Amino acid sequence: NGGISSARNLGLNYAQGEWIFFVDSDDSLPKTSLESLLSRSSDANIIAGGFFFRFGGDKIVETLKEPKFTSRDLDRKIPTAYMATVWGKLFKRKICPMFDERVRFAEDTLFILSCVRETDRIKLVDDTVYTYNNDAFPDKYSMTADEYSSYLDIFGGVLNDCERLFFFTFSETRQYLKKFFTARLLYGIFHINDFGLFKEEIKKIKKEDIVFDSSKKRLFFAALQGGFLSFVLMRLLYRIKKRINVAFYY
């Protein structure tokens, strides 16, 4: 099992049709999903639709209300689920890159940005075309300080290409990614169960001069710098309320 990016790349290698559509194994589609998307396929290379979003059993209905879409809207839309994920969209196969198998966070966003480098012919469908289910918050969301730095480099390179292509700054996208990665960095610290590894990770974060994007996260990280006492209290807190880290997800 090479992971989700490896599996998707295998599918892309075997694909022969004009369009690519991604579906996660635990999600589902309304009956008219593909019909709705294909109804807007004329002169488009990417077509995105609305979705149902379920997290922890709650259902949130999201729909797209802006059928008109220009390249200037990209920076505003990529930080949302509409353009940060590959599900709920049709992609022309000819513009699809391979997924970067080094990346295990925000791999969908990196794929979208790589597609954007190839086209700005994007259309939106004001219909619900996908149901996304996320009932868990697994340890796969943990990120290390080393990963944090490498991810900023990888995503920064693609964003630089997009900015040169469209002649404007993807400031909201950069802010979104930094928020996304710092949340997972704190999540990773919260799950370390060895004091030696805990100290080393805190040391790396301080050395890299990672700046957290909110006072809540800065306060949490400051509280973790109390040495062994902080580590013990963190482990006790983790046992009492394992899902406390969800507060850092968004």
Side-chain angles (χ1 to χ4, degrees):
N1 183 1
I4 188 170
S5 292
S6 176
R8 287 170 171 173
N9 284 340
L10 183 64
L12 287 170
N13 281 326
Y14 278 95
Q16 297 182 5
E18 182 181 4
W19 295 95
I20 299 293
F21 187 81
F22 297 97
V23 184
D24 289 350
S25 60
D26 55 349
D27 297 339
S28 59
L29 305 178
K31 290 183 179 180
T32 60
S33 295
L34 296 179
E35 181 182 350
S36 295
L37 291 169
L38 285 170
S39 70
R40 294 280 290 167
S41 62
S42 177
D43 297 323
N45 285 325
I46 302 173
I47 313 162
F51 56 91
F52 291 116
F53 183 87
R54 287 193 180 96
F55 185 83
D58 297 324
K59 181 167 74 173
I60 303 172
V61 181
E62 297 284 357
T63 55
L64 296 168
K65 298 297 183 183
E66 302 172 74
K68 294 182 179 180
F69 188 92
T70 69
S71 59
R72 281 279 174 182
D73 296 313
L74 284 170
D75 186 44
R76 181 170 54 88
K77 283 295 186 184
I78 287 176
T80 72
Y82 299 134
M83 292 302 293
T85 62
V86 296
W87 44 259
K89 299 171 185 65
L90 279 176
F91 299 88
K92 272 284 179 67
R93 182 166 61 90
K94 66 181 182 181
I95 70 161
C96 288
M98 291 290 109
F99 284 84
D100 190 330
E101 297 184 24
R102 299 171 297 170
V103 172
R104 63 188 184 94
F105 295 107
E107 63 275 1
D108 287 17
T109 305
L110 186 60
F111 181 89
I112 294 286
L113 288 169
S114 298
C115 288
V116 165
R117 287 190 301 188
E118 303 298 323
T119 183
D120 63 351
R121 291 163 59 185
I122 302 169
K123 290 186 178 180
L124 307 183
V125 175
D126 192 15
D127 292 317
T128 299
V129 301
Y130 199 87
T131 300
Y132 176 74
N133 297 297
N134 189 354
D135 294 325
F137 204 87
D139 288 348
K140 71 178 183 179
Y141 292 132
S142 301
M143 175 178 277
T144 67
D146 290 337
E147 286 179 312
Y148 180 91
S149 297
S150 66
Y151 274 54
L152 288 183
D153 289 341
I154 292 170
F155 281 80
V158 178
L159 281 168
N160 289 341
D161 290 343
C162 291
E163 289 171 347
R164 283 192 291 268
L165 178 64
F166 292 109
F167 302 104
F168 63 84
T169 302
F170 281 67
S171 55
E172 290 189 41
T173 303
R174 290 182 184 274
Q175 184 179 8
Y176 156 75
L177 288 169
K178 189 170 185 179
K179 182 178 181 180
F180 186 93
F181 295 147
T182 55
R184 277 141 188 78
L185 185 60
L186 287 176
Y187 189 91
I189 297 171
F190 194 75
H191 282 72
I192 296 174
N193 56 18
D194 178 88
F195 181 57
L197 293 176
F198 174 80
K199 285 198 305 181
E200 189 63 28
E201 191 69 3
I202 295 293
K203 182 178 178 181
K204 284 183 179 179
I205 293 174
K206 293 172 71 175
K207 183 178 180 181
E208 291 288 339
D209 195 28
I210 294 172
V211 179
F212 295 105
D213 60 284
S214 72
S215 56
K216 177 175 60 178
K217 293 174 187 175
R218 288 192 293 271
L219 180 62
F220 184 75
F221 181 65
L224 293 176
Q225 298 181 54
F228 186 70
L229 179 60
S230 291
F231 175 73
V232 171
L233 290 174
M234 182 191 70
R235 295 310 302 166
L236 286 173
L237 188 61
Y238 177 70
R239 290 177 179 273
I240 294 170
K241 191 176 182 182
K242 290 186 178 182
R243 287 179 63 85
I244 189 172
N245 36 60
V246 173
F248 299 103
Y249 186 72
Y250 293 106

